[in-house]
Amino acid sequence: MQSSRNWIIGAMAALAAFLLSHNTAAAQDKVTVGVFPVSSTLPYFVALENGYFKEQNIAPEMVKLIGGPPNVAAMITNQIDASAVLVTIEGLNADLKKPGVAMYISLNSQNKTYQMEQFVARTGYPATSLKDLKGAKIMSAPGPANVTMAKAALAAVGLKEGDYTIDQLDMSQHVAVMKAGTYDAGYTLEPNASTMRKLGVATTLEAGVIAHYILGDPNANAFVGGCALTSDFIQSRPDVAKRFAAAWAKAVNLINNNPQEARKHLLNNTFTPPDVVDTVPMIRYYMAGDLTAKDKAEFQKFIDFSVKTGTLPENVDVTKYLKAF
């Protein structure tokens, strides 16, 4: 009799554990995330593969979107809740059309040290600096923001439109066309630049050109992109948004403090070959709540330049579109 009772109690405990596990899994909150697979998307992959989203009971659903415009369109139409990396010019332009559609919970800083955007020249092309690109056929990372920044850097060294040609090109093609010699130079992003150098098909002329030529200081924080959530997501599911931000913050902390450990997550998630992953430069990530007054001023200066050049149609107060949890 006693053994039967113990068996029943054990069976009931096992059933309860199973149901609890099942209910917990079923209760995970889905968050749809637009993902552009470049190295600046790293926090998403770190949070996913290290279980940080799972710890927050969140099940992210990735939608691969190449470049800012597709991410913006998906946010405006509520097809995604978040963009893992959204160019700030394009996000704030969307905010002018639909206020609050892109609320930045973190920003990515890039400059001479924390490298992302850079000009490269194919091996054999006679250029050692940006001013040597007069007459060059140049490719650019896609999107109006990237093209505007490329042209602005070239203008800063004295090259005007007509002194060169520039074409937007999908990021996945950058290495191949440089290898083929289709273009003389390129305005590209990491990890493509590191891959080109590893293959010996191109050299970097200058990295961190936005900080240098737009902000006037190679070591300034050029807040060119970041992770953004839609206001509809934040307002309709505030607790889920808060937990998503907590997972993101944990990933940011790991990357900033242990970049070598974080780099492995570039493999299989971005265009980073195994023999390049250990050399890809890391950018610096800031949660919105950690930005200093100086950081915000540098962000505002970058956006004000975009207004001046016509990339943004009117002035924007960047602090309105920062969301700290």
Side-chain angles (χ1 to χ4, degrees):
M1 178 69 71
Q2 183 66 35
S3 62
S4 296
R5 179 180 297 176
N6 289 342
W7 182 88
I8 293 172
I9 292 172
M12 291 177 65
L15 178 61
F18 170 78
L19 291 174
L20 179 62
S21 173
H22 178 74
N23 288 338
T24 300
Q28 281 194 322
D29 294 292
K30 186 180 81 170
V31 177
T32 307
V33 186
V35 174
F36 182 17
V38 291
S39 60
S40 55
T41 315
L42 189 56
Y44 175 80
F45 299 116
V46 169
L48 179 66
E49 295 177 350
N50 282 358
Y52 300 161
F53 288 129
K54 188 175 182 181
E55 289 173 2
Q56 295 294 335
N57 211 32
I58 286 174
E61 181 179 83
M62 184 180 79
V63 179
K64 188 175 289 188
L65 297 170
I66 307 300
N71 275 272
V72 164
M75 295 180 88
I76 289 176
T77 56
N78 287 320
Q79 295 179 62
I80 59 175
D81 302 307
S83 174
V85 58
L86 180 63
V87 173
T88 51
I89 293 174
E90 291 165 353
L92 292 176
N93 193 35
D95 285 319
L96 290 174
K97 295 180 173 66
K98 183 180 179 182
V101 68
M103 301 296 297
Y104 285 88
I105 64 169
S106 76
L107 293 176
N108 311 339
S109 167
Q110 53 202 67
N111 53 33
K112 183 179 180 180
T113 302
Y114 299 106
Q115 298 179 5
M116 172 53 64
E117 91 295 347
Q118 54 200 279
F119 273 94
V120 298
R122 62 175 171 79
T123 300
Y125 187 76
T128 58
S129 66
L130 299 193
K131 65 182 180 180
D132 296 329
L133 296 180
K134 186 172 184 178
K137 183 180 181 182
I138 304 171
M139 65 173 184
S140 171
N146 284 314
V147 174
T148 297
M149 292 303 111
K151 290 181 177 179
L154 293 170
V157 298
L159 299 185
K160 60 183 182 297
E161 291 191 48
D163 286 339
Y164 57 86
T165 61
I166 190 165
D167 299 320
Q168 295 184 55
L169 198 66
D170 186 87
M171 293 294 299
S172 63
Q173 300 178 48
H174 282 207
V175 175
V177 298
M178 195 58 66
K179 188 175 182 179
T182 308
Y183 288 87
D184 302 314
Y187 179 82
T188 192
L189 309 177
E190 287 292 356
N192 282 348
S194 292
T195 302
M196 292 175 193
R197 291 193 298 270
K198 180 71 175 181
L199 293 173
V201 300
T203 57
T204 292
L205 297 178
E206 186 174 352
V209 296
I210 295 174
H212 186 180
Y213 298 108
I214 308 306
L215 300 182
D217 178 1
N219 296 309
N221 285 315
F223 292 116
V224 179
C227 177
L229 311 184
T230 69
S231 285
D232 288 342
F233 171 42
I234 295 169
Q235 292 167 8
S236 63
R237 297 190 290 163
D239 180 62
V240 180
K242 183 178 181 179
R243 286 186 276 120
F244 182 92
W248 199 269
K250 190 170 182 178
V252 162
N253 184 65
L254 174 69
I255 297 167
N256 288 340
N257 291 293
N258 194 348
Q260 199 59 32
E261 168 66 18
R263 277 188 175 91
K264 68 183 183 182
H265 297 281
L266 293 171
L267 291 173
N268 304 319
N269 293 314
T270 67
F271 309 119
T272 310
D275 59 347
V276 173
V277 69
D278 288 335
T279 63
V280 174
M282 293 284 100
I283 57 176
R284 183 77 179 179
Y285 299 89
Y286 293 78
M287 295 304 293
D290 297 330
L291 295 170
T292 66
K294 181 177 181 293
D295 294 332
K296 293 175 184 177
E298 289 177 336
F299 185 22
Q300 187 68 60
K301 185 175 181 179
F302 172 65
I303 295 304
D304 289 346
F305 174 84
S306 302
V307 176
K308 182 180 177 181
T309 57
T311 311
L312 285 171
E314 61 185 83
N315 293 328
V316 185
D317 179 356
V318 298
T319 61
K320 290 184 178 180
Y321 303 107
L322 296 172
K323 177 62 177 176
F325 287 90

